[in-house]
Amino acid sequence: MPESSAAAGSGRTIPGTPAPVTPFPAVGTSVPGSVGTSLQILRSLDSGPRGLVEAHAEERLARFGENVLPAWRPVPWPRRFVRSLRDPFTSVLLCLGLVSAVVSAWGTACVILALVAVSCLLRSTEEHRADRSTAALRELVATTATVVRRTSADAPSREREVPVADLVPGDVIRLGPGDLVPADVRVLRAGGLTVHQSALTGESAPVAKHPLDAPDPALAGAGPFAQPQLCFQGSSVTSGSGTAVITATGGATRFAAAHDGRARQRGASAFDRSVQGISWTLIRFMLLTPPLVLMANAALRGRGLETLPFAVAVAVGLTPEMLPVIVTTALARGAARLARTSGVIVKRLPALHDLGAVDVLCLDKTGTLTEDRPVFEAAVDGSDLPDPGVLRWAALSALWTLQLAELPAPDALDEAVLDAAEHPEDSAYEGVAALPFDPVRRVATAVLRRPGRLGVHTLVTKGAVEAVLERCALDGEERERLLALAARKAESGLRLLAVARADRPARHGGYTPADERGLTFVGLVALRDVPAPSAADALDVLARRGVTVKVLTGDHPGTAARVCEDLGLRTDPAGGCGEVVTAELVDTLSDAELARVADRATVFARCTPEHKARIVSALRAAGHTTGFLGDGVNDLPALHAADVGICPRNAVDVAREAADVVLAEKDLTAIDRAVLAGRHSSGNIATYLRITLSSNLGNVIAMLTAGLMLPFLPMLPAQVLVQNLCFDAAQLAFAFDRPGASALRRPAVLRSRDFLRFITGFGLLNAAADLATFGVLALALHNAAGTDGEAAFHAGWFTENLLTQALVMVLLRTGRSAAERRAGGPLRAAAGGLAVVGVLLPLTPLGPLLGMSALPLLYYLLLGSVLGLYAVGLTAARRRYERRR
């Protein structure tokens, strides 16, 4: 993976502004943009409310450099090569090679070190290619910011999207929900603006931000992160909107100083844990082998340290040294194929395997199961009678909230309300202030000045029914009646917005959520969801692939259940998927109880971000590999909690940064393609492990047995290692194989116990074939004696080993039909090449150099019979294994 190193000149501030000195200054220390009024800050930055002139911005960009963190430089190839030695198998091989050199077994040492060099070379090359592909793919989702600039000093200012790297100090930018704060900024205007600063402060709660021109005595001595007028790079906008001026960029930001250019290391993925579990089990066996061989030969044959090179070679024979190369190649090819054919970007290679292992997919229904376009159905008053005035008040609230809070676009519900209203832009009403929607309050409020009502401001609040009614001046009986009315409508599958208003004496001060009290209920706006055209088919395909879909939504249970029923997702207990679970029930459950409920239920309604994350964590704790599809700020906790975080390309910036996989669009069909690609890569890795480990184990058992039975070593150490080198070269074909259709029907999970059972059973079968070859060699070479007999025995077993390994590569491709196994492909070509080398190498001039001689024709005839019986046994065992699975 790339390493970080600071680029020269990466820190950038404009002269006249104080520069940060330490990551976290002492209390009261001045930071850029913290001292002075907004106008003074703009003047010190040679900027203004209308933004910079384009020519000046380009000049500053050339002068101060791009707004990027200290450069992520590619790891040099030599360093990557050396780092490859940290792989456990490669490290053990290197140690065994050094041991061979110490005891002067130079041939063994040279071959082992050659294996190490080849493995490191291939792995470092593939990692370099994977890093280049990943860097290119990340450019497709480059983060942008909305900046205010002018073409000339006299031209009007315009808003436009520019890459974050092109921002400079003095730029005036817009901030909206879901945006990452692209640099250190001073807030000029804000409406309900709150940000998460956890990347810098560790605080989990969002912090309110607003302009502050006059000193606030309550903030005297407070640190920079407590200053409401300052936002820092690495923060994310939770709610509201604002306008700010950039005071520091790149390496001069608080984020760059606090993190000192170091990447946060991600914990081991499910795939990493699986491979490491298998790896260390085999390494324990491998490390036990040399002393066992030495002790057995010393006790039974009286041999001493002269058998050490053979013992080392036997240990090497257990090692799947190509595992790092196969894993890297298979995952990198799968990620590149997904990007090329489906526009799906895998930001973290192990996430591709985790995608293939996903058996539970959690998602919100809006924009995925339904079109992100609800349609207006009706507007009624508190007596359930049609009332156009309810829609009009809702539209006015949506319109002025959008304008005054400087939201980039209305959300889907507001857009449906505005589309349905006849004249939402009524000029008789004037907006005064706005409190935008956030997932905690679940309401939005616009403050209006009505015609003919001097000295009076009207607050119009709309949002979730329960949240609005809590803010209304109602007695308990009336509130319960209205809740029952809303429940009846919601149970029919409608989405509801409650509308309330109140008149307040006009004032010059700002409005806060505390003013949303004592409201008068106006009525309900009902909308219905339009199911996505491809959702039903995509859900059916995912179900056939063994992926269970769970819907985690903030909507009413009835609304969510209706959509799921329409799409074929059963939510009743008789359907086998459990009842609709509400957030209120989740709050009453322990983690263990929630895991059992989450395993059974399909729909979770009224979920907050914390509920979503807790449900995903409960599913993981129950043993599921989970994926979560989200696109908003409120999805961040769940994206982090899942094994694989997934988001569409048009998701908010902070969600794109948190996700492991980025889709071209929010579409279940794209997820299905990504799951298939993950299973494709994982299937190739699993096939490699099964075939290689079972073959290696069988060879080791046979060599240990033969070493105790024969008066000479069954194979010379150099012969063992050359055999491994040939097999390693053929194994590269596993990364390019095409798994059978049945291997793609279920989640691809690497389980240590399953692998150990597989390699034990097939390894013993392989050992039986090897031991049967002893009899063939004894019969074919009964007249040979001395060194000629030993050389012929070595050649015969060398040939048989490579032929059996080639046979295993072809016949143990589990999950394939006969037609698929007969089809050509890289694996069959590699197996054919391995068989040719096994037959011809002893006959070439290299054979005598390795201690092998030519074999009589009788041996090949008898060996053909053994291989035929072995093929029959392999086929029968494979079929029995597949039936049991």
Side-chain angles (χ1 to χ4, degrees):
M1 297 299 293
E3 292 180 344
S4 62
S5 55
S10 59
R12 290 165 287 282
T13 55
I14 289 289
T17 62
V21 178
T22 58
F24 295 95
V27 172
T29 302
S30 175
V31 296
S34 63
V35 179
T37 66
S38 298
L39 184 58
Q40 290 171 333
I41 296 300
L42 286 169
R43 285 177 177 171
S44 70
L45 293 167
D46 194 18
S47 183
R50 295 191 299 155
L52 294 175
V53 175
E54 290 284 0
H56 294 168
E58 292 176 4
E59 186 180 305
R60 293 187 185 189
L61 184 63
R63 189 161 126 215
F64 298 106
E66 293 184 330
N67 176 36
V68 295
L69 291 176
W72 290 102
R73 295 176 181 170
V75 180
W77 189 89
R79 183 185 298 177
R80 194 185 297 278
F81 183 89
V82 173
R83 281 192 354 185
S84 299
L85 294 172
R86 295 188 303 185
D87 176 77
F89 282 123
T90 307
S91 300
V92 172
L93 275 176
L94 182 61
C95 293
L96 293 175
L98 295 176
V99 170
S100 299
V102 168
V103 298
S104 299
W106 300 112
T108 303
C110 288
V111 176
I112 290 179
L113 294 177
L115 283 172
V116 171
V118 169
S119 178
C120 290
L121 176 65
L122 291 172
R123 183 176 188 183
S124 57
T125 300
E126 288 301 330
E127 283 187 349
H128 179 65
R129 289 177 181 171
D131 285 347
R132 284 195 307 174
S133 299
T134 303
L137 295 177
R138 292 174 78 93
E139 294 297 323
L140 298 177
V141 289
T143 302
T144 61
T146 303
V147 66
V148 178
R149 285 182 181 171
R150 297 169 287 159
T151 56
S152 65
D154 298 328
S157 59
R158 292 189 309 161
E159 295 182 9
R160 67 186 186 92
E161 294 287 320
V162 301
V164 165
D166 292 346
L167 297 176
V168 296
D171 261 329
V172 175
I173 62 172
R174 308 289 195 204
L175 298 173
D179 288 345
L180 288 172
V181 178
D184 289 357
V185 302
R186 167 75 179 249
V187 177
L188 303 176
R189 293 199 307 274
L193 181 66
T194 62
V195 301
H196 268 298
Q197 298 182 151
S198 57
L200 290 162
T201 65
E203 297 175 292
S204 59
V207 178
K209 297 291 183 179
H210 55 82
L212 185 67
D213 283 341
D216 187 346
L219 297 174
F225 302 110
Q227 302 293 329
Q229 76 276 25
L230 300 180
C231 295
F232 299 94
Q233 184 182 43
S235 306
S236 58
V237 179
T238 306
S239 64
S241 60
T243 300
V245 61
I246 294 177
T247 59
T249 60
T253 62
R254 291 271 153 178
F255 185 84
H259 289 256
D260 195 23
R262 292 188 294 269
R264 291 185 173 185
Q265 298 296 320
R266 189 185 184 100
S269 67
F271 172 67
D272 294 330
R273 292 192 297 270
S274 299
V275 172
Q276 288 175 7
I278 296 169
S279 299
W280 285 108
T281 299
L282 293 171
I283 286 174
R284 292 187 188 99
F285 281 116
M286 188 173 63
L287 294 178
L288 286 174
T289 299
L292 289 176
V293 172
L294 288 174
M295 288 187 294
N297 276 277
L300 299 178
R301 294 290 176 182
R303 300 169 185 153
L305 286 178
E306 66 269 17
T307 60
L308 180 59
F310 174 72
V312 171
V314 171
V316 172
L318 268 174
T319 310
E321 57 270 10
M322 296 300 290
L323 179 61
V325 179
I326 300 295
V327 168
T328 303
T329 305
L331 295 179
R333 289 187 73 249
R337 190 187 310 115
L338 261 180
R340 185 175 61 253
T341 61
S342 304
V344 176
I345 301 168
V346 180
K347 295 169 57 180
R348 182 177 59 89
L349 281 184
L352 186 60
H353 165 269
D354 294 337
L355 263 177
V358 162
D359 60 343
V360 174
L361 175 64
C362 301
L363 47 82
D364 194 351
K365 67 179 184 61
T366 305
T368 308
L369 301 182
T370 63
E371 293 185 355
D372 200 0
R373 184 182 56 84
V375 177
F376 173 77
E377 181 77 10
V380 298
D381 61 14
S383 300
D384 199 17
L385 298 175
D387 185 351
V390 177
L391 177 61
R392 187 163 178 267
W393 282 116
L396 285 169
S397 175
L399 176 67
W400 286 108
T401 301
L402 174 65
Q403 293 187 9
L404 295 176
E406 299 178 337
L407 300 177
D411 68 14
L413 296 178
D414 283 351
E415 197 166 20
V417 169
L418 291 171
D419 287 343
E422 293 183 1
H423 302 289
E425 70 283 357
D426 195 331
S427 59
Y429 293 84
E430 180 184 353
V432 176
L435 301 174
F437 179 89
D438 70 62
V440 178
R441 289 165 46 244
R442 300 174 67 196
V443 297
T445 297
V447 183
L448 310 177
R449 186 178 293 114
R450 299 165 64 186
R453 300 294 301 275
L454 293 176
V456 176
H457 287 168
T458 300
L459 280 70
V460 185
T461 299
K462 62 174 177 52
V465 175
E466 295 90 340
V468 171
L469 291 179
E470 285 177 1
R471 292 162 170 80
C472 291
L474 299 170
D475 58 36
E477 184 177 346
E478 180 65 8
R479 181 177 287 107
E480 290 301 321
R481 187 187 69 80
L482 292 173
L483 285 173
L485 171 63
R488 289 195 300 273
K489 289 187 170 296
E491 286 168 1
S492 66
L494 295 175
R495 302 177 69 178
L496 299 175
L497 285 175
V499 183
R501 65 184 180 89
D503 290 336
R504 299 279 193 267
R507 69 189 192 204
H508 296 292
Y511 286 85
T512 70
D515 294 305
E516 298 169 334
R517 291 290 181 270
L519 307 178
T520 301
F521 181 75
V522 174
L524 300 172
V525 176
L527 305 104
R528 56 183 174 84
D529 287 316
V530 180
S534 62
D537 292 338
L539 288 171
D540 185 56
V541 170
L542 287 172
R544 291 201 303 269
R545 299 200 194 285
V547 178
T548 301
V549 173
K550 308 280 186 182
V551 179
L552 280 55
T553 179
D555 285 342
H556 186 279
T559 305
R562 173 63 180 273
V563 171
C564 293
E565 291 284 350
D566 290 343
L567 294 171
L569 277 176
R570 297 296 300 275
T571 58
D572 58 286
C577 296
E579 69 282 0
V580 176
V581 177
T582 62
E584 290 78 9
L585 176 60
V586 171
D587 289 334
T588 65
L589 300 175
S590 66
D591 290 342
E593 292 170 335
L594 179 59
R596 291 192 294 271
V597 171
D599 195 48
R600 185 182 72 251
T602 298
V603 180
F604 297 82
R606 296 298 193 204
C607 291
T608 65
E610 291 71 23
H611 289 122
K612 294 180 180 181
R614 190 174 171 223
I615 292 165
V616 171
S617 298
L619 289 166
R620 289 189 66 188
H624 295 287
T625 303
T626 59
F628 182 85
L629 173 62
D631 59 0
V633 177
N634 60 330
D635 293 321
L636 278 179
L639 284 170
H640 285 296
D643 290 288
V644 187
I646 310 169
C647 78
R649 191 176 299 174
N650 61 356
V652 299
D653 294 342
V654 68
R656 282 207 309 262
E657 289 298 316
D660 301 305
V661 178
V662 180
L663 307 177
E665 55 189 10
K666 196 174 181 180
D667 181 14
L668 289 179
T669 304
I671 294 181
D672 176 60
R673 290 193 292 268
V675 167
L676 280 182
R679 293 183 184 181
H680 188 137
S681 298
S682 300
N684 286 344
I685 295 169
T687 301
Y688 159 76
L689 283 171
R690 289 192 183 99
I691 291 176
T692 301
L693 296 179
S694 59
S695 180
N696 288 356
L697 181 62
N699 288 340
V700 167
I701 293 173
M703 278 194 286
L704 291 177
T705 305
L708 298 177
M709 294 172 57
L710 297 174
F712 54 86
L713 293 178
M715 289 187 73
L716 298 178
Q719 294 166 358
V720 175
L721 296 171
V722 168
Q723 170 188 285
N724 287 343
L725 192 60
C726 294
F727 196 26
D728 289 341
Q731 287 169 346
L732 280 175
F734 283 108
F736 301 89
D737 192 27
R738 291 182 302 169
S742 61
L744 304 178
R745 293 192 193 114
R746 56 181 177 270
V749 182
L750 299 176
R751 294 189 175 92
S752 299
R753 287 187 178 181
D754 290 346
F755 272 91
L756 291 177
R757 280 196 294 267
F758 184 96
I759 66 175
T760 300
F762 285 92
L764 292 174
L765 187 60
N766 183 276
D770 287 345
L771 294 174
T773 307
F774 291 168
V776 169
L777 287 168
L779 184 61
L781 304 175
H782 69 280
N783 291 327
T787 56
D788 291 339
E790 290 183 20
F793 185 94
H794 293 156
W797 204 3
F798 180 88
T799 297
E800 184 269 346
N801 276 337
L802 291 190
L803 289 176
T804 54
Q805 287 174 339
L807 202 59
V808 166
M809 288 176 67
V810 174
L811 295 181
L812 283 192
R813 297 160 78 193
T814 56
R816 289 180 167 270
S817 65
E820 287 174 317
R821 282 191 294 274
R822 287 193 296 269
L827 202 58
R828 292 181 64 85
L834 188 64
V836 169
V837 171
V839 173
L840 297 182
L841 184 64
L843 306 178
T844 65
L846 188 60
L849 294 177
L850 292 173
M852 296 185 288
S853 63
L855 292 159
L857 180 61
L858 177 62
Y859 169 73
Y860 293 104
L861 296 176
L862 294 174
L863 180 61
S865 301
V866 172
L867 293 177
L869 293 173
Y870 180 51
V872 171
L874 272 180
T875 302
R878 178 181 55 78
R879 288 175 178 171
R880 182 172 181 272
Y881 172 78
E882 290 176 354
R883 284 197 302 269
R884 292 182 62 185
R885 292 192 72 187

